[in-house]
Every structure is written in structure tokens, then in C-alpha cells.
Amino acid sequence: MRLVLLGIVLATGSLAAQSSAKSADLILRHGIILTVDAEDHVAEALAIRDGRIIAVGTDAQVSHLAGPKTKVVDLAGQTVTPGLIDTHAHVLSSGVDEMLKVDLTQVTTLSELAAKVKARVDSTPAGTWVEGFGWNEGILAEHRGPTLGEIDAISGDHP
């Protein structure tokens, strides 16, 4: 009888190990899962095992992949999108900008922007273009870009 009982325990343990090996590490449910597949399907759940998506579908379709060690996250209607990695660079144009234009990426006020442009205007032959790059009205204290009148007032004989 002990041998049979041991066999049952070992078999049950073995089945549990197999079941947990097939379960997901992470399940995201109750969400809006943008698949970005050819048909632009939208799902409500997804399951991940070993860093790979193993199932996408309804909460019911994915829930069977939950095991005792599965982390389940309730998205409460939040959206999940595929991770995108943008590895391109504008090396040539960035180099040209750095060499030939006024770098305005660090200015935080319109007066600072004007001073940088004026310094370039003063050192550039008349009739030659003076260009800037990188200013961001979101970080300027005034929360706006320079007006044409403000630029004309410092540009002198430069287009």
C-alpha cells in the first residue's frame, strides 16, 4: 500500500511540475491589447512565458494558462501596445546642425534664445542665412516660440 501511495504522490508531483512548466509566468487581463497584426485585432488578455507571448485572446481563453506561480495583472481597461525600438539616427543632418546652425536645445527663455541667435548674426556675413535648431516651446519659460517680429528685430541683414 505504501508503494502505491508513493507512486501516486510521485505521479501527482510529476503532473503538477508538468502543469506548472506549461503555465504562464505572467498574464495580463481585463485590458485592451493592441496586437498590431495584419487585421489589427484587439484582445483583452495575453500570457507570457520565458519572455515570449504564448497566448492572446479573451480573458477566458488565456486564463487556463495560469498556474500557482503565475503573476496575474488586472489592467482595469488600460492599453498594452507592442514595444517599439527606434534605432535610426539622423547622423548627417545632426552633424550639419551642430556645425552650421545655432544650437537652441538648452535655452529656457526667449531672451536666451534671442541672445544666442544675435551672437550668430553678429558673426555671420550680411545676406547669409542664420538658422537654429532644437528649441522647444514646452521648456521655454514663456511657453511659446519667438514671433517673426522678435526674430526680425535681431536678424538684421540676414534672411
Side-chain angles (χ1 to χ4, degrees):
M1 182 70 162
R2 287 185 188 174
L3 189 56
V4 171
L5 191 53
L6 180 61
I8 292 171
V9 169
L10 289 174
T12 306
S14 170
L15 290 174
Q18 287 176 353
S19 169
S20 115
K22 294 187 180 196
S23 57
D25 300 323
L26 173 66
I27 292 179
L28 305 177
R29 64 181 182 175
H30 305 308
I32 300 168
I33 313 296
L34 303 180
T35 65
V36 194
D37 63 7
E39 291 82 33
D40 277 333
H41 287 115
V42 177
E44 61 185 352
L46 70 83
I48 299 170
R49 181 186 320 123
D50 296 326
R52 294 185 176 268
I53 296 173
I54 58 171
V56 178
T58 65
D59 289 337
Q61 290 170 326
V62 174
S63 65
H64 75 279
L65 294 167
K69 295 184 179 181
T70 302
K71 178 178 181 180
V72 178
V73 175
D74 185 340
L75 295 172
Q78 294 182 71
T79 302
V80 174
T81 63
L84 303 174
I85 299 172
D86 183 2
T87 60
H88 83 281
H90 298 261
V91 178
L92 181 59
S93 63
S94 294
V96 168
D97 285 350
E98 293 286 331
M99 290 176 55
L100 303 177
K101 298 179 182 179
V102 183
D103 181 356
L104 302 171
T105 58
Q106 302 301 312
V107 300
T108 58
T109 65
L110 285 172
S111 61
E112 188 180 351
L113 183 145
K116 282 188 151 235
V117 172
K118 180 72 169 123
R120 181 61 64 90
V121 164
D122 291 345
S123 65
T124 303
T128 305
W129 278 88
V130 171
E131 296 180 72
F133 75 96
W135 65 274
N136 178 346
E137 65 190 42
I139 63 172
L140 293 177
E142 298 84 357
H143 297 291
R144 67 174 180 83
T147 66
L148 179 59
E150 290 167 333
I151 294 297
D152 283 347
I154 59 173
S155 65
D157 295 324
H158 301 277

